[in-house]
Amino acid sequence: GADAQAAPKTIKISSVLSLTGKMSGMGTQIKPSYEIFADQVNAKGGIYVKKYGKKIPVELRVLDDESDGLKTQTQLEVANSWGAVANLGGLGCGSFEMGTPICQKNKMVWVGPGCGGWMPHQLGNEWLYSIFFKTPFFSPLVFDMIQAQPKPWPNKVAIFEINQMDAAEAGLYWKQAAKMKGFKLVYHKKYLAGTKDFSAMITGAKAAGAEILLAYPLPPMGPAIVKQMKELDFSPKVVYWHRAPEGAKFGSGLGELADYVHVPCAWSPDLKLPGNDYVIEQYKKKTGKKEADLIVGTAYTAFQVLAAAIEKAGTLDRKAIRDAVRATDMETVCGRIKFTDQGWAKDRLIVVLQWMGGKTNIVYVNEHGKKYGDKVPVKPLKWQPKWSER
Amino acid sequence: MILEVKNLLKAFGGLVAIRDLNLAVNEGEIVGLIGPNGSGKTTLFNLISGVLKPDKGEIRFNEIDITGLKPHKVCQGGIARTFQLTKPFMQMTTLQNVMIGRTYGSEPVRSMRQAEGECERILEFVGLGGKRLSLVATFGLVDRKRVEIARALATKPRLLLLDETMAGLNPSEMEDALRLVKAIGDSGITLIVVEHVMKVILDISSRLMVLNYGEIIAEGTPQEVVRDEKVVEAYLGE
Amino acid sequence: MLEVNNIDVYHGDLQALWDVSLKVEEGELVSLIGANGAGKTTAVETISGLHTPASGTVIFNGVRLDKEPTHKVVELGVCLIPEEKGIFPGMSVLENLELGAFTSESRKARGETFEAVYRLFPVLEERKKQVAGTLSGGEQQMLAIGRALMAKPKLLMCDEPSLGLAPLIVKSIFEVIKQINKSGVGILLVEQNVRAALGLAQRAYIIENGRVSGHGDAKSLLDDEKVRDAYLGTG
Amino acid sequence: MTFGLVAQTFVNGINIGAMYGLIAVGLSLTFGVMKILNVAHGEFLMVGGYMAFWLFTLFDIDPLLGLPLIGIALFLLGAICYKLLFSGLARFHEETKVKNTLLVSFGLFLIFPQVARWLWTGDERAITPVYSGESFPILGVRCGYVPLAGLLVAVVVILALHLLLTKTYFGKSIRATTENWKSAKLMGINVDRTYLITFALGAALAGLAGVLVGMTQSVAPDMGMQWTLKALIVLVLAGIGSIGGAFFAGLILGVVEAVSANLPYIGPYTVALGLVIFLLILMLRPQGLFGKEG
Amino acid sequence: MSNWKHLSVSGGIIVLLILVPLIFTRTDILTFFFLTLLYITLSQSWNILGGYTGQINLGHAAFFGAGALAARYIWLHFGLPLPLAILGGGLAATIFAMIIGFPAFRLRGIYFVIGTLVLAEILRLVFYTILPRADVMPMRLLGAYSLIPRYYLSLLIALLTVAAVYWISRSRLGLGLMSIREDEDAAEASGVDTQRYKLLAFAISTFLTGLAGGIYAYYSAAFRAGGLFEPVWTFDAVIIVFVGGVGTILGPVIGSVFFVLLKQFLSLYLPGGIHVAVFGVLFIIVVLFLPGGLVELITRFRKRTSGGSIQIDS
Ligand SMILES: Nc1ncnc2c1ncn2[C@@H]1O[C@H](COP(=O)(O)OP(=O)(O)OP(=O)(O)O)[C@@H](O)[C@H]1O
Ligand SMILES: Nc1ncnc2c1ncn2[C@@H]1O[C@H](COP(=O)(O)OP(=O)(O)OP(=O)(O)O)[C@@H](O)[C@H]1O
Ligand SMILES: [Mg+2]
Ligand SMILES: [Mg+2]
């Protein structure tokens, strides 16, 4: 029955994000996305909670973790004590791995754009939900993408592997997939986060005759690698990176130098799925940017999923919300979201984007995305030419 | 013989600071050591106290070879020293300064209470009784020198090396200091005293040695030495 | 030439000088004597602008010094050889001397002053390439004086130039000071060695516990009973 | 490894090493000479990089042409920081000074990146003039224009600095001030101004290095500390106070890193390897590679 | 203050601290209490070497990290009892310190400072490489996780550390350490075996740091091995010691409370990054205008209110 008396004034939802520190670039892109969704919901009176028989507005509290894992944990304790019913996560496997155990211990669901790493999901944490696909499933994409092009295909693969969990996973699955699909690994180097000079690795990969370069660079390293590749006249046909090319300033900062770089993504502003126009328009209005950043849709989706789950749970009980999140099966601005028991989104739409002329084009879409037909407009892929011919 | 130095040699790069030096000091003596600036007096103290290692030669204390021992070992063995440029522990109290000597020196006392009692007596002795809880950093030169002497005494040395403890004192302060040094000598501690102030050195030393370019050029009773031509030429002037 | 009027000087909360006044006339050699910690060093450092008096004035040739920074005071021709000598140990003897002539005026006359200093201290010319920190105590004192002369001072203040020096050197240092004074430079000499200082000076001031307790003709002070008791010892 | 690979590796090492050298030389001025341990040195570098970014994107000024402008801007910034924060500490005894300046500059290290985030957001920024990434081959070895320009700038700046310190009165006054603060005053040296200028020069050098880093790599608000660390390492490697040595030590470190990055097994530890070498040298030769004994 | 007054005040504070988990049940408040106690141990242990012995160790994180890693492995991966694991953390840090201590103390002054900084940096890089994954507490433990035993253990170790420093400061050992800080040559000349006592101070300091690491290993739901060696662990300890009052017993305690409160307060009430900058500014102000730290502020205040003379309390 409806008990208006006991109804809380707001639905408290926390979001622990990196607004300062090393990862702040990503955090400051996610925050407006969450706010857009909160405003949108609140404009309609909030989320309907059956237990109270009415709509209750959402109160979003963003807490800065200063890109420091320890701070991520203490801020989640603050969120817990504040009475948040759920937490919306930030990006990056560091905060993901450090933060979600706190959610597990405090029994509060975490829904986030997440990280590519598969490992955190295999530990049995029942409170963690990531709407991103995981390394074993998206790593082989690069080879599928190449083999979907007209022959001749480039064949020799170089991997620059940063010493981070998700990159190590990706490295592993890249190697496996390359072998299965008939590609040849000619160069594989591990390097430390914080490495600023890539000329040694580039020189090595070039000497090995690499035609496909796979890497997982952090955003600040993106420009350095590109410039040094040009300087050393290394022009593999395919440059396929995670992370750095997703950065808000990758294309605008590098200009023509960014051309031909590929990045796999869960969302693109070119997707024509319902709701995207609104998100992009609001994002531009809110931030004054010319283009929506690549993380915007994914973050928005996290909130979409959480809000739907709260409504479905019909109560603000944390466990009930968690169970509802687990049972999610819905269409979002990112396509269909459905979780596995381990909390990662399965059968996800993934697109591969190629930078060209300061913006991204979708040049490949995986089988789960093909179902959407024209709503995922794919443009032809271009092999990277020699630097002298660009 | 309490101290015996044989064929000691020390060079800094090309500069030979101590040149094949021999000397002997008897128990209970007060030996004055003089010599021009840069003649090697402080270097000799540094060698005896273990701050520097000699290039050649031997130093024996109480018939025991102490050549090349670390300074704390030398101190624990019974040789204490003061520094020409004073080095008291600035951010500590006078009492704490002296306590370190008492608890780490040659006959260390482990009980803090007992050490405190003894140190207070030493402070009275050097005339710092009223300043036991003041920070040394607030002291002037005279008191700093007193702290150094007290700290050295607290290590219960049998041989004490004093490096220009009188420099910078005016004549009347010097007289106080002189009385102090004499009292130390009377208490049975053997002393080697480096000073440039002739009045002082003549007054207290039972024997005088003159160092020049790292060599002993004269040795004997004060009266003999000051009349020595070489000494007059190298050190005293007409 | 130099006039110090009623200055009070503090080291932090601690007052070191009370109402100190003194004068040095053109070409005069004046001595400042007193016990340890009496405030002699504080007095000359205040004149040099290293401390600012809380009250009172310092006037040199009609210019107020007490509000000026040290480098201005030096430019006006007042030089101090500090108690701890203060040579630049890592630099060569030559560089030390060059730095002595830092003010633009003295820089112009560098050539001549070099000659004059070398004439006074031939050993400095022999050692001009040597790193100053490796000189012996006596040589360092000579360097300090030589360096001060490079500035072509009108008034030279020496803070205990005999400290820690062998008797032979002490004699020659006093001799040099006398010569410098004869060449027309005013000198304010701080000394523990009261007998020598009074022998050298024309006039003297006695400082006790931060106050000027007496002043007068050097010869008469030498005979003064109280001075004898306090500073000359009984020996 | 083929000859081409070896030669290319060396050239790469020298390019990055020159940058290390330039950064270390700036720190060598403030730390080696004045004993101000400025852990915010890398922050000046970061600001320099962002200034170049601004000049380039807002006013279309080529970063290399902007160098003098940025040098002046950072000089002023350094002067302000010194005046506000460090001038009171300058007269302390060496060890106290090192400790206190370390702490104060640590405060700066907390503030600067945040200010940068407000001004330029947390994203990395790249400076890409048309010739960015352009290079030419010599005997099959690629030489980039930008690294070459960096090398040139570094060499010129270091030579100029060396001459300034040893040949001019001003340089001597800097050294004198460090050796004995009180005596320097008594020589008629305006000690406060000398320190101010020296510190500001150090900041300006960091700024210049920042432009080069921005051109070859990218700038981000949190990049400073890594470069400070690098500079400290190079500085100690060279021997504190040795200006020319700092440059050569930078080159050596650059080459060592470049070579080791291509060795099997060591590859991922390249950065750590440089540090291990550093520690070994410190143990065996505490005065550094180019420092004087004693 | 008389000894009695000292004792009763300390006793009262300890009793209050014991009551904390009964009064506060909010996990964030307990976490902040826990962190404050952890920082007390971390900074107080730094203080032994840096404040009392005068050896500025910028590699503190190396020993914290060694302690934490060792404790975590002994506890979770080898399955030994927790107290043993935490003790093991302390010992691991000490053993490591002794291995590097011999060469490290050949370095004097600034070379020691930078040498230790680099040491921690090497470990950080190496551990990020060989253990790139976060070490997450097993889910079975996370399900039953409670902050209360963690709080009490950290209280115990913090008290132990403070007591150790209290004892050191009043003992012969403390005198020896301080003499090294003031002047090594003079210390040697007074009979202090400076090399040995430096090593001893290093051993005590790193043992306590290792215990802090052990406690952290027990507390932390997840950490990244490389992250344990991040310079922040060192810098936080250094900041706390200097803000509180270097070379004093109370300094690190007051500093830790101030640090945790201020950082937390600022980050909750001055968001948008202002808190980081404001913290930096406040920190600089303390360093510039309160060289003796907050402890000095307290003594000044006491002097003013009581009007009496104060004694030098080391
Ligand atoms: N560590 C050192 N390195 C190089 N030379 C040194 C060192 N210590 C002393 N010397 C040199 O050795 C010589 C002897 O110096 P020492 O200090 O023993 O003289 P001293 O007799 O004590 O003189 P003073 O009366 O001026 O104190 C001097 O020429 C000095 O410059
Ligand atoms: N930097 C300082 N801080 C605090 N007190 C000081 C400082 N310098 C000097 N004093 C104190 O001021 C008083 C005067 O000292 P000053 O050095 O001027 O005496 P002095 O006559 O030159 O003595 P000396 O013969 O020892 O050189 C002394 O009590 C001294 O302790
Ligand atoms: Mg001597
Ligand atoms: Mg004096």
Side-chain angles (χ1 to χ4, degrees), chain E residues 251-263:
Chain E
V253 178
I254 295 174
S256 299
V257 174
F258 179 78
F259 180 80
V260 173
L261 270 185
L262 185 74
K263 269 202 115 166

Side-chain angles (χ1 to χ4, degrees), chain A residues 197-200 203 228 231-232, chain D residues 1-20 134-151 216 250-259 262:
Chain A
D197 182 41
F198 294 88
S199 40
T203 307
Q228 285 168 3
E231 240 150 48
L232 298 167
Chain D
M1 274 207 264
T2 62
F3 166 78
L5 187 54
V6 173
Q8 184 69 61
T9 303
F10 261 88
V11 170
N12 297 343
I14 285 175
N15 286 341
I16 185 91
M19 210 128 69
Y20 290 170
E134 293 289 340
S135 62
F136 58 91
I138 299 179
L139 300 171
V141 175
R142 308 290 315 188
C143 299
Y145 289 113
V146 174
L148 200 68
L151 185 64
T216 49
L251 288 185
I252 291 174
L253 189 65
V255 170
V256 166
E257 284 188 3
V259 171
N262 267 324

